[in-house]
Amino acid sequence: MTESQISQVRKVVTAIPGPKSQELHKRRLEAVSHGAGAALPVYIEAAHGGIIVDVDGNQLIDLGSGIGVTTIGHTNPQVVAAVQEQVAKLTHTLFTLTPYSGYVEVCEFLNKHTPGNFKKRSALFNSGAEAVENAVKLARKFTGRGEIAVFDHGYHGRTNLTMAMNFKAMPYNSGFGPFAPGVHHVPMSYPFRDETGLTGEEAAKRAITYMDKRVGAANLAAIVIEPIQGEGGFIVPAPGFLKAISEWAKANGIVMIADEVQAGIARTGKWFASEWEEGFEPDMFTIAKGIAGGMPISAVTGRAEIMDASHPGGIGGTFGGNPVAAAAAIAVLRQIEAGGVLERAQAIETLLKSRLEAMKAKYPVIGDIRGRGAMIAIEFVEPGTKNPNKAAVDAVVKHSHENGVLVLNAGTYYNVIRFLPPLAITDELLNDALNVIEEAVAKL
Ligand SMILES: *Cc1c(COP(=O)(O)O)cnc(C)c1O
């Protein structure tokens, strides 16, 4: 089956998972480390737009994009063509040995489109965690300081340093320590769960007091924050929070790092989620997931003087900025630049929010609807309280999966459903998926 033959409709033709998936799952359990989980053990063979097709011929609506990776759409024709052309020409040299143009071009795009009116440079890596590691390395080298601050409910990866930066012990960190030192966890602004009326400025003051008293501003190399927290459940901080944090960082010579790995690259209806926050002025950005339509590549973009703080040879890596992945990234970035992609993410927000708000008015199990662009979440509660309701999420996810809609959970309390659809998804598919989800919510 070629990608253009995949109709953009939901089709459930077997039990989910079907017999071939169940067979493959048996092989997987025998062959693959059980440390790698499987949210829905349906084995996928092909995909296009907003539909993924499993080995049994079921067509599932994808509301996850592999966690915000295939933002441009599955098998986007321009990404497919760019990869096919590049893979037949050159697959690897090692950029730090003998360079090639694709790497440079990706960096030019990112320097141009990340927010901040200052001279920038970029460097390319393989994963989000690797980008975060390198941003912290460079901030430490630039400032000559060792400590970093991160926020409650945050997520930054699975390497030793980034595990130290995660909020949740389970499932990311538990038993894998000891972790890298010098990481300080600071209270986040979480409007739904903070005391009623706490402003962004007040929440920032709470965080700043902690950093100032517990760590000492002069010891901090960097503050790392997701402008919208991904794994934490799409927590959008109260207005003014990020501005106050970044002003304090600037006043104290601390590098402000925005982890845009999940929220960046058109996901929220702007190139970067940081742009929604007036007065928030990050010095560096970490970028990965949605940048290359599914090919593995990540980046750090930031102020030239910070990015140049390392001696030559101090940053790099064998596969970083691989030519084929770079070609895919260029194909994605060109389409965003050409127009229409950001608008599509904003239109998805309008559709999702209007339907979900209507559901919230009807079903008291829905406590909060939040997010921006095609990054929207529902937080479930026990009706009449704010007590997290994980059981409701489990039931909605199960019903959705059985009916061919792939949804993801999230949140510190596992009580959030997050929507990260490919932007290529049609309104018909979105509405169809929302009907299935509403059925599940109505049954609770
Ligand atoms: C996914 C994610 C990471 C880690 O990216 P990997 O590519 O899985 O290493 C880091 N930060 C944020 C905000 C993420 O969502």
Side-chain angles (χ1 to χ4, degrees), residues 67-68 71 225-231 234-236 258-276 286-290 342 345 372-375 420:
I67 313 200
T71 302
I225 192 165
E226 298 160 80
I228 297 178
Q229 289 182 321
E231 305 303 298
F234 294 4
I235 299 167
V236 184
D259 184 347
E260 290 259 10
V261 166
Q262 194 160 148
I265 309 285
R267 174 53 59 187
T268 67
K270 291 192 187 281
W271 277 88
F272 293 94
S274 298
E275 294 170 65
W276 290 108
T286 54
I287 299 158
K289 291 192 166 91
L342 304 177
R372 295 190 207 277
M375 185 172 188
L420 285 167

Side-chain angles (χ1 to χ4, degrees), residues 29-75:
L29 291 175
E30 190 56 35
V32 180
S33 160
H34 292 198
L40 175 58
V42 150
Y43 287 73
I44 304 302
E45 194 167 57
H48 186 62
I51 288 285
I52 54 180
V53 186
D54 76 10
V55 287
D56 291 289
N58 297 296
Q59 300 203 163
L60 287 80
I61 302 176
D62 185 8
L63 297 182
S65 304
I67 313 200
V69 171
T70 51
T71 302
I72 199 74
H74 287 283
T75 53

